């Protein structure tokens, strides 16, 4: 045991002595010019090291530097700035004049990917061949140089595309390890704070830099993200993702494929690419099993809100971000900054309590001219199609849509947008509407359009038209009606022409029928004030008992009915007495005329006929 301890002590002394000798014999500042030259030759970047270089022995043999900067050729500002840099080097290669840097560590670095840090290419510089510009180990330079790992801690990344706002990523932790074939494994985490929102992002990736800088490919096997803050759901939005990505320098194109993204309980997949020109060009082909916008948007689900006085998009939400500049930008002006072709297939979409299935979307944007060639899906056993366009090239956007609805339950739509109308039935609609901003509140206030509307198997709660007419007739005649305890008006069929003008909806040529009644009429609905004035002519064709002749007359007589007032407090006016009085007067006139014709030779008949002619 003593012999083993003695051997270990000797080895320790040799190692300490060797390191001490190395520190005394090799001056790390001798590497300064060599490091600068190697970085310039391999990448074209200009490395600047301020202050002296010094050795750090424990726990890893390292070279420490003071402030450092890394600048692209011709750039106006450094790409990387750091107060401290540490180079972890291998001991044994130093003995054979090899500087093997196992790891470069930057702490408190600022990395700027902005227009002012981009390289400026001279027009007279020849274009190098498209091949790997990383040279092999030099033969007769005395030293060789290699880097295996990169570590960045507590640093900041500033990203800005020309003409766009800056995005700052803080608290960066980056660990990258590269092999001899330029295959790297990368672990990253950081935090983005912008517009009172926090995005925490972390990922692990495998990167192939064998053809860098011409191209760069990466496989993100594990990406986690969480977004919280203003104008977002209380629980925030978070999930995981995986994808393959490729950057092509010559075309400035970023492509991705095999995307698998989750956001709360939603999922999205697909592929696409973007060309980062002065105005980016996007191409996206996406598919989704489920998109739950009620769990991704800050507005509450209207179906769960029992307050009757809320309108459209006025549901409770978190306060929107406060922009310090308080600059008002035109609606949808961001569409002017890019071109895009987007395709989306979704098995299920949840929005405002409505469950859409088999949704297909095809849309194109040409720098502010958005065309939605296809937007359709199924809901409640019916179909909805909503093609249209948005012209945002001027400060006042112009939106035009041609909705087509087939057999969708109208109660679902009314409930989704919180209209206090208790109406059910299968709605069909075919029309065209135009306006500015696309949301429920703008639609009810400032849009215009017209459509053909029909309802099947409708039921309007609150007023039973048949019952109102029959009760009024019972009070004025000896005719009775069959007992009817329903408080709703049922129609097998209903149709009307609809016109919308800045919040006022006009219904013309209304016609409806069922086995008990038939009606026609016209009226208006004020979508902003939530009140209406509807005028009907109602014929009750069944449910009568009593004098057969009068019953037959009532079946053929249309009773004027006016329904007006607030949707939640409807009033009605029924003119049964006037109609019955006219009917009795007409019947009496017919009987008197018949008597006068029968006794036309008598003086009484002649006098009666003259009187009737004057009436």
């Amino acid at each position: 045991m003593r012999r083993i301890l003695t051997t270990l002590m000797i080895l320790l002394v040799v190692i300490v002595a060797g390191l001490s000798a190395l520190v005394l014999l090799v001056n790390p500042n001798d590497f300064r010019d060599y490091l600068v030259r190697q970085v310039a030759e391999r990448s074209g970047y200009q490395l600047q090291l301020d202050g002296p270089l010094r050795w750090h022995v424990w726990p890893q043999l390292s070279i420490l530097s003071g402030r450092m900067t890394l600048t692209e050729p011709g750039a106006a500002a450094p790409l990387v700035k750091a107060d401290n840099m540490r180079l972890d080097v291998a001991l044994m290669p130093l003995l054979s004049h090899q500087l093997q840097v196992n790891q470069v560590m930057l702490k408190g670095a600022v990395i700027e990917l902005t227009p002012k840090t981009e390289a400026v290419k001279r027009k007279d510089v020849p274009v190098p061949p498209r091949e790997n510009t990383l040279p092999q180990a030099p033969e007769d330079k005395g030293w060789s140089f290699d880097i295996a790992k990169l570590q960045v801690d507590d640093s900041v990344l500033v990203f800005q595309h020309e003409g766009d706002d800056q995005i700052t990523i803080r608290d960066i932790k980056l660990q990258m390890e590269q092999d001899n074939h330029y295959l790297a494994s990368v672990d990253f985490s950081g935090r983005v704070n912008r517009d009172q929102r926090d995005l925490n992002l972390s990922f692990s990736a495998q990167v192939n830099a064998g053809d860098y800088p011409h191209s760069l490919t990466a496989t993100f096997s594990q990406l986690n993200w969480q977004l919280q803050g203003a104008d977002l759901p209380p629980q925030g939005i978070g999930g995981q993702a995986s994808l393959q990505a490729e950057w092509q320098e010559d075309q400035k194109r970023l492509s991705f494929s095999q995307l698998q993204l989750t956001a709360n309980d939603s999922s999205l997949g697909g592929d696409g690419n973007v060309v980062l020109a002065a105005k980016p060009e996007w191409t996206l082909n996406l598919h989704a099993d489920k998109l739950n916008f009620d769990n991704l948007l800050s507005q509450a689900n209207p179906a769960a809100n029992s307050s009757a006085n809320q309108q459209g998009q006025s549901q409770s939400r978190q306060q929107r971000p406060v922009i310090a500049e308080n600059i008002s930008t035109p609606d949808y002006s961001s569409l002017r900054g890019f071109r895009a072709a987007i395709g989306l297939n979704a098995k299920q979409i949840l929005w405002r309590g409505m469950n859409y299935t088999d949704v297909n979307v095809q849309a194109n944007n040409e720098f502010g001219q958005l065309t939605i060639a296809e937007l359709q899906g199924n809901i409640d056993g019916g179909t909805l199609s909503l093609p249209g366009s948005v012209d945002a090239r001027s400060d006042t956007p112009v939106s035009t849509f041609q909705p087509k609805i087939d057999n969708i339950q109208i109660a679902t739509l009314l409930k989704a947008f919180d209209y206090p109308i208790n109406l059910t039935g299968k709605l069909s609609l075919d029309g065209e509407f135009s306006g500015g901003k696309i949301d429920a509140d703008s639609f009810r206030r400032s849009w215009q359009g017209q459509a053909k509307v029909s309802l099947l198997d409708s039921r309007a709660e609150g007023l039973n038209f048949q019952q109102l007419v029959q009760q009024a007739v019972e009070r004025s005649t000896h005719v009775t009606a069959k007992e009817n305890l329903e408080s709703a008006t049922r129609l097998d069929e209903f149709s009307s022409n609809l016109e919308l003008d800045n919040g006022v909806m006009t219904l013309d040529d209304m016609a409806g029928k069922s086995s008990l009644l038939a009606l026609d009429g016209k009226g208006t609905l004020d979508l902003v004030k939530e009140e209406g004035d509807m005028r009907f002519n109602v014929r009750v064709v069944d449910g009568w008992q009593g004098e057969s002749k009068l019953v037959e007359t009532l079946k053929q007589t249309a009773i004027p009915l006016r329904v007006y007032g607030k949707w939640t407090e409807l009033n009605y006016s029924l003119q049964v007495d006037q109609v019955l009085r006219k009917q009795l007067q007409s019947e009496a006139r017919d009987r008197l005329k018949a008597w006068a014709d029968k006794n036309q030779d008598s003086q009484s008949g002649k006098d009666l006929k003259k009187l009737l002619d004057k009436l």
Side-chain angles (χ1 to χ4, degrees), residues 408-466:
I408 290 180
Q409 181 55 246
I410 191 173
T412 302
L413 300 176
L414 295 174
K415 188 176 183 180
F417 294 99
D418 205 24
Y419 281 111
I421 301 177
N422 202 340
L423 175 65
T424 61
K426 293 182 178 181
L427 171 68
S428 294
L429 180 146
D430 191 355
E432 181 173 353
F433 296 89
S434 62
K437 191 174 181 180
I438 305 172
D439 61 40
D441 190 59
S442 296
F443 179 83
R444 78 179 76 216
R445 293 178 181 275
S446 59
W447 278 55
Q448 303 85 35
Q450 55 278 327
K452 179 69 176 179
V453 180
S454 64
L455 273 175
L456 297 178
D457 301 326
S458 64
R459 177 185 174 97
E461 298 288 347
L463 289 177
N464 186 330
F465 287 3
Q466 175 198 0

Coordinates of all heavy atoms in Angstrom, one line a residue, residues 408-466:
I408 N -77.1 24.5 -41.3 CA -76.4 24.7 -40.0 C -77.3 25.1 -39.0 O -78.2 26.0 -39.2 CB -75.2 25.6 -40.2 CG1 -74.1 25.0 -41.0 CG2 -74.6 26.0 -38.8 CD1 -72.9 25.9 -41.2
Q409 N -77.3 24.6 -37.8 CA -78.2 25.0 -36.7 C -77.9 26.4 -36.4 O -76.8 26.8 -35.9 CB -77.9 24.1 -35.5 CG -78.8 24.3 -34.3 CD -80.3 24.3 -34.7 OE1 -81.0 25.3 -34.7 NE2 -80.8 23.1 -35.1
I410 N -79.0 27.3 -36.5 CA -78.8 28.7 -36.3 C -78.6 29.0 -34.8 O -77.9 30.0 -34.5 CB -80.0 29.5 -36.8 CG1 -79.7 31.0 -36.8 CG2 -81.3 29.1 -36.0 CD1 -80.8 31.8 -37.5
A411 N -79.1 28.2 -33.9 CA -78.9 28.4 -32.5 C -77.4 28.4 -32.2 O -76.9 29.1 -31.3 CB -79.6 27.4 -31.7
T412 N -76.6 27.6 -32.9 CA -75.2 27.5 -32.6 C -74.5 28.8 -32.9 O -73.7 29.3 -32.2 CB -74.5 26.4 -33.4 OG1 -75.1 25.1 -33.1 CG2 -73.0 26.3 -33.2
L413 N -74.9 29.4 -34.1 CA -74.3 30.7 -34.5 C -74.7 31.8 -33.5 O -73.9 32.7 -33.1 CB -74.7 31.0 -35.9 CG -74.3 30.0 -37.0 CD1 -74.8 30.5 -38.3 CD2 -72.8 29.9 -37.1
L414 N -76.0 31.9 -33.2 CA -76.5 32.9 -32.3 C -75.8 32.8 -30.9 O -75.4 33.8 -30.3 CB -78.0 32.8 -32.1 CG -78.8 33.1 -33.4 CD1 -80.3 32.8 -33.1 CD2 -78.6 34.5 -33.8
K415 N -75.6 31.6 -30.4 CA -75.0 31.4 -29.1 C -73.5 31.8 -29.2 O -72.9 32.4 -28.3 CB -75.1 30.0 -28.7 CG -74.7 29.7 -27.2 CD -75.0 28.3 -26.9 CE -74.6 28.0 -25.4 NZ -74.9 26.6 -25.0
A416 N -72.8 31.4 -30.3 CA -71.4 31.7 -30.4 C -71.1 33.2 -30.4 O -70.1 33.6 -29.8 CB -70.9 31.1 -31.8
F417 N -72.0 34.0 -31.0 CA -71.7 35.5 -31.0 C -72.6 36.2 -30.0 O -72.8 37.4 -30.0 CB -72.0 36.0 -32.4 CG -71.0 35.5 -33.4 CD1 -71.3 34.4 -34.2 CD2 -69.7 36.0 -33.4 CE1 -70.3 33.9 -35.1 CE2 -68.8 35.5 -34.3 CZ -69.1 34.5 -35.2
D418 N -73.2 35.4 -29.0 CA -73.9 36.0 -27.9 C -75.1 36.9 -28.3 O -75.3 37.9 -27.6 CB -72.9 36.7 -27.0 CG -73.4 36.8 -25.6 OD1 -74.2 35.9 -25.2 OD2 -73.0 37.7 -24.8
Y419 N -75.8 36.5 -29.3 CA -77.1 37.2 -29.6 C -78.2 36.6 -28.7 O -78.4 35.4 -28.8 CB -77.4 37.0 -31.1 CG -76.7 37.9 -32.0 CD1 -75.7 37.4 -32.9 CD2 -76.9 39.3 -32.0 CE1 -75.0 38.2 -33.7 CE2 -76.2 40.1 -32.8 CZ -75.2 39.6 -33.7 OH -74.5 40.4 -34.5
P420 N -78.9 37.4 -28.0 CA -80.0 36.9 -27.1 C -81.3 36.6 -27.8 O -82.3 37.2 -27.5 CB -80.2 38.0 -26.1 CG -79.8 39.3 -26.9 CD -78.7 38.9 -27.8
I421 N -81.2 35.8 -28.9 CA -82.4 35.4 -29.6 C -82.5 33.9 -29.5 O -81.6 33.1 -29.9 CB -82.3 35.7 -31.1 CG1 -82.0 37.3 -31.3 CG2 -83.5 35.3 -31.9 CD1 -81.8 37.7 -32.7
N422 N -83.7 33.5 -28.9 CA -83.9 32.0 -28.7 C -84.6 31.4 -29.9 O -85.8 31.4 -30.0 CB -84.8 31.9 -27.4 CG -84.6 30.5 -26.8 OD1 -84.2 29.6 -27.5 ND2 -85.0 30.3 -25.6
L423 N -83.8 31.1 -30.9 CA -84.3 30.6 -32.2 C -83.5 29.4 -32.6 O -82.3 29.3 -32.5 CB -84.1 31.7 -33.2 CG -84.5 31.3 -34.7 CD1 -86.0 31.0 -34.8 CD2 -84.1 32.4 -35.6
T424 N -84.2 28.3 -33.0 CA -83.5 27.1 -33.5 C -84.0 26.8 -34.9 O -85.1 27.3 -35.3 CB -83.8 25.9 -32.6 OG1 -85.2 25.6 -32.6 CG2 -83.3 26.1 -31.2
G425 N -83.3 26.0 -35.6 CA -83.6 25.6 -37.0 C -82.4 25.5 -37.8 O -81.3 26.0 -37.5
K426 N -82.5 24.8 -39.0 CA -81.4 24.6 -39.9 C -81.4 25.7 -40.9 O -82.2 25.9 -41.7 CB -81.6 23.2 -40.6 CG -81.5 22.0 -39.6 CD -81.6 20.7 -40.4 CE -81.4 19.6 -39.4 NZ -81.5 18.2 -40.1
L427 N -80.3 26.5 -40.8 CA -80.1 27.7 -41.6 C -79.4 27.4 -42.9 O -78.4 26.7 -42.9 CB -79.3 28.7 -40.8 CG -78.9 30.0 -41.5 CD1 -80.1 30.8 -41.9 CD2 -77.9 30.8 -40.7
S428 N -79.9 28.0 -44.0 CA -79.1 28.0 -45.2 C -79.1 29.5 -45.7 O -80.1 30.2 -45.6 CB -79.9 27.2 -46.3 OG -79.8 25.8 -46.0
L429 N -77.9 29.9 -46.2 CA -77.7 31.3 -46.6 C -76.8 31.3 -47.8 O -75.8 30.6 -47.9 CB -77.1 32.0 -45.4 CG -76.8 33.5 -45.6 CD1 -77.1 34.3 -44.3 CD2 -75.4 33.8 -46.1
D430 N -77.0 32.2 -48.7 CA -76.2 32.4 -49.9 C -76.2 33.9 -50.2 O -77.2 34.5 -50.5 CB -76.7 31.6 -51.1 CG -75.7 31.6 -52.2 OD1 -74.7 32.3 -52.1 OD2 -76.0 30.9 -53.2
G431 N -75.0 34.5 -50.0 CA -75.0 36.0 -50.2 C -73.6 36.5 -50.3 O -72.6 35.8 -50.5
E432 N -73.5 37.9 -50.2 CA -72.2 38.6 -50.3 C -72.2 39.8 -49.4 O -73.2 40.5 -49.3 CB -71.9 39.0 -51.8 CG -70.6 39.7 -51.9 CD -70.3 40.0 -53.4 OE1 -71.0 39.6 -54.3 OE2 -69.3 40.7 -53.6
F433 N -71.1 39.9 -48.6 CA -71.0 41.0 -47.6 C -69.6 41.6 -47.8 O -68.6 41.0 -48.1 CB -71.2 40.5 -46.2 CG -72.6 39.9 -46.0 CD1 -72.8 38.5 -46.2 CD2 -73.6 40.7 -45.5 CE1 -74.1 38.0 -46.0 CE2 -74.9 40.1 -45.3 CZ -75.1 38.8 -45.5
S434 N -69.6 42.9 -47.5 CA -68.3 43.7 -47.5 C -68.3 44.7 -46.4 O -69.3 45.1 -45.9 CB -68.2 44.4 -48.9 OG -69.3 45.4 -49.0
G435 N -67.0 45.0 -46.0 CA -66.8 45.9 -44.9 C -65.3 46.2 -44.8 O -64.5 46.0 -45.7
G436 N -64.9 46.5 -43.6 CA -63.5 46.8 -43.3 C -62.9 45.8 -42.4 O -62.5 44.7 -42.9
K437 N -62.8 46.0 -41.1 CA -62.2 45.1 -40.2 C -63.0 43.8 -40.0 O -64.3 43.9 -40.1 CB -62.1 45.8 -38.8 CG -61.2 45.1 -37.8 CD -61.0 45.9 -36.6 CE -60.1 45.1 -35.6 NZ -59.9 45.9 -34.3
I438 N -62.3 42.7 -39.9 CA -63.0 41.4 -39.8 C -63.1 41.0 -38.3 O -62.2 40.4 -37.8 CB -62.3 40.4 -40.6 CG1 -62.0 40.8 -42.0 CG2 -63.0 39.0 -40.6 CD1 -61.1 39.9 -42.8
D439 N -64.2 41.3 -37.7 CA -64.6 40.8 -36.4 C -66.1 41.0 -36.2 O -66.8 41.7 -37.0 CB -63.8 41.5 -35.3 CG -64.0 43.0 -35.2 OD1 -65.1 43.4 -35.3 OD2 -63.0 43.7 -34.9
A440 N -66.6 40.4 -35.2 CA -68.1 40.4 -35.0 C -68.6 41.8 -34.7 O -69.7 42.1 -35.2 CB -68.5 39.4 -33.8
D441 N -67.9 42.6 -34.0 CA -68.4 43.9 -33.6 C -68.4 44.8 -34.9 O -69.4 45.5 -35.1 CB -67.6 44.5 -32.5 CG -68.2 45.8 -32.0 OD1 -69.3 45.7 -31.5 OD2 -67.5 46.8 -32.1
S442 N -67.4 44.7 -35.7 CA -67.4 45.5 -36.9 C -68.5 45.1 -37.9 O -69.1 45.9 -38.6 CB -66.0 45.5 -37.6 OG -65.0 46.0 -36.8
F443 N -68.7 43.7 -38.0 CA -69.7 43.2 -38.8 C -71.1 43.8 -38.5 O -71.9 44.2 -39.3 CB -69.8 41.7 -38.8 CG -70.8 41.1 -39.7 CD1 -70.6 40.9 -41.0 CD2 -72.0 40.7 -39.2 CE1 -71.5 40.3 -41.8 CE2 -73.0 40.1 -40.0 CZ -72.8 39.9 -41.3
R444 N -71.4 43.8 -37.2 CA -72.7 44.3 -36.8 C -72.9 45.8 -36.9 O -74.0 46.3 -37.0 CB -73.0 43.8 -35.4 CG -72.4 44.6 -34.3 CD -72.7 44.1 -32.9 NE -72.0 42.9 -32.6 CZ -72.5 41.9 -31.9 NH1 -73.7 42.0 -31.4 NH2 -71.8 40.9 -31.6
R445 N -71.8 46.5 -37.0 CA -71.9 48.0 -37.0 C -71.7 48.6 -38.4 O -72.3 49.6 -38.7 CB -70.8 48.6 -36.0 CG -71.1 48.3 -34.6 CD -70.1 48.8 -33.7 NE -70.3 48.5 -32.3 CZ -71.1 49.2 -31.5 NH1 -71.7 50.3 -31.9 NH2 -71.3 48.9 -30.2
S446 N -70.7 48.1 -39.2 CA -70.3 48.8 -40.4 C -70.3 48.0 -41.7 O -69.8 48.5 -42.7 CB -68.9 49.4 -40.1 OG -68.0 48.4 -39.8
W447 N -70.7 46.8 -41.7 CA -70.7 46.0 -42.9 C -72.0 46.2 -43.7 O -73.0 46.6 -43.2 CB -70.5 44.5 -42.6 CG -69.1 44.2 -42.3 CD1 -68.2 44.8 -41.4 CD2 -68.3 43.2 -43.0 NE1 -67.0 44.2 -41.5 CE2 -67.0 43.2 -42.4 CE3 -68.6 42.3 -44.0 CZ2 -66.0 42.4 -42.9 CZ3 -67.5 41.4 -44.4 CH2 -66.3 41.5 -43.9
Q448 N -71.9 45.9 -45.0 CA -73.1 45.9 -45.9 C -73.1 44.6 -46.7 O -72.1 43.9 -46.8 CB -73.0 47.1 -46.9 CG -72.9 48.4 -46.2 CD -71.4 48.8 -45.9 OE1 -70.5 48.4 -46.7 NE2 -71.2 49.5 -44.8
G449 N -74.3 44.3 -47.2 CA -74.5 43.1 -48.0 C -75.9 42.6 -48.1 O -76.8 43.2 -47.5
Q450 N -76.1 41.5 -48.9 CA -77.4 41.0 -49.0 C -77.2 39.5 -49.2 O -76.2 38.9 -49.6 CB -78.1 41.5 -50.3 CG -77.4 41.4 -51.6 CD -76.3 42.5 -51.8 OE1 -76.6 43.6 -51.3 NE2 -75.2 42.2 -52.4
A451 N -78.3 38.8 -48.9 CA -78.3 37.3 -49.0 C -79.7 36.8 -49.0 O -80.7 37.4 -48.7 CB -77.6 36.7 -47.7
K452 N -79.8 35.5 -49.5 CA -81.1 34.8 -49.5 C -81.0 33.8 -48.3 O -80.0 33.0 -48.2 CB -81.2 34.0 -50.8 CG -82.5 33.2 -50.9 CD -83.8 34.0 -51.0 CE -85.0 33.1 -51.2 NZ -86.2 34.0 -51.2
V453 N -82.0 33.8 -47.5 CA -82.0 33.1 -46.2 C -83.2 32.1 -46.2 O -84.3 32.5 -46.6 CB -82.0 34.0 -45.0 CG1 -82.0 33.2 -43.7 CG2 -80.9 35.0 -45.0
S454 N -82.9 30.9 -45.7 CA -84.0 30.0 -45.4 C -83.8 29.2 -44.2 O -82.6 29.0 -43.8 CB -84.2 29.0 -46.6 OG -83.0 28.2 -46.8
L455 N -84.9 28.8 -43.5 CA -84.8 28.0 -42.3 C -85.8 26.8 -42.4 O -86.9 27.0 -42.9 CB -85.2 28.9 -41.1 CG -84.2 29.7 -40.3 CD1 -84.9 30.6 -39.3 CD2 -83.1 28.9 -39.7
L456 N -85.3 25.7 -41.9 CA -86.1 24.5 -41.9 C -86.3 24.1 -40.4 O -85.4 24.2 -39.6 CB -85.4 23.3 -42.7 CG -85.2 23.5 -44.2 CD1 -84.5 22.3 -44.8 CD2 -86.5 23.8 -44.9
D457 N -87.5 23.6 -40.1 CA -87.9 23.1 -38.8 C -87.5 24.2 -37.7 O -86.8 23.9 -36.8 CB -87.2 21.8 -38.5 CG -87.5 20.7 -39.5 OD1 -88.7 20.7 -40.0 OD2 -86.7 19.9 -39.9
S458 N -87.9 25.4 -37.9 CA -87.5 26.5 -37.0 C -88.5 26.5 -35.8 O -89.7 26.1 -35.9 CB -87.5 27.8 -37.7 OG -88.9 28.2 -38.1
R459 N -88.0 27.0 -34.7 CA -88.7 27.2 -33.5 C -88.3 28.5 -32.8 O -87.1 28.6 -32.4 CB -88.5 26.0 -32.5 CG -89.3 26.1 -31.2 CD -88.9 24.9 -30.3 NE -89.5 25.1 -29.0 CZ -90.6 24.6 -28.6 NH1 -91.3 23.8 -29.4 NH2 -91.1 24.8 -27.3
A460 N -89.2 29.4 -32.7 CA -88.9 30.7 -32.1 C -89.6 30.8 -30.7 O -90.8 30.8 -30.6 CB -89.4 31.9 -32.9
E461 N -88.8 30.8 -29.6 CA -89.3 30.7 -28.3 C -89.8 32.1 -27.9 O -89.3 33.1 -28.3 CB -88.3 30.3 -27.3 CG -87.8 28.8 -27.5 CD -88.8 27.8 -27.1 OE1 -89.8 28.2 -26.5 OE2 -88.6 26.6 -27.5
G462 N -90.8 32.2 -27.0 CA -91.3 33.4 -26.4 C -92.7 33.8 -26.9 O -93.5 34.3 -26.1
L463 N -93.0 33.7 -28.2 CA -94.3 34.0 -28.7 C -94.8 32.9 -29.6 O -94.1 32.4 -30.5 CB -94.2 35.3 -29.6 CG -94.0 36.6 -28.8 CD1 -93.8 37.8 -29.8 CD2 -95.1 36.9 -27.8
N464 N -96.1 32.5 -29.3 CA -96.7 31.5 -30.2 C -97.7 32.2 -31.0 O -98.8 32.6 -30.6 CB -97.4 30.4 -29.3 CG -98.0 29.3 -30.1 OD1 -98.4 29.5 -31.2 ND2 -98.1 28.1 -29.5
F465 N -97.4 32.4 -32.3 CA -98.3 33.2 -33.2 C -99.7 32.6 -33.3 O -100.7 33.3 -33.2 CB -97.7 33.3 -34.6 CG -96.5 34.2 -34.6 CD1 -96.0 34.9 -33.5 CD2 -95.8 34.5 -35.9 CE1 -94.9 35.7 -33.6 CE2 -94.7 35.3 -35.9 CZ -94.3 35.9 -34.8
Q466 N -99.7 31.3 -33.4 CA -101.0 30.6 -33.5 C -101.9 30.9 -32.3 O -103.1 31.2 -32.4 CB -100.8 29.1 -33.7 CG -102.1 28.3 -33.7 CD -101.9 26.8 -33.5 OE1 -100.7 26.4 -33.3 NE2 -102.9 26.1 -33.5

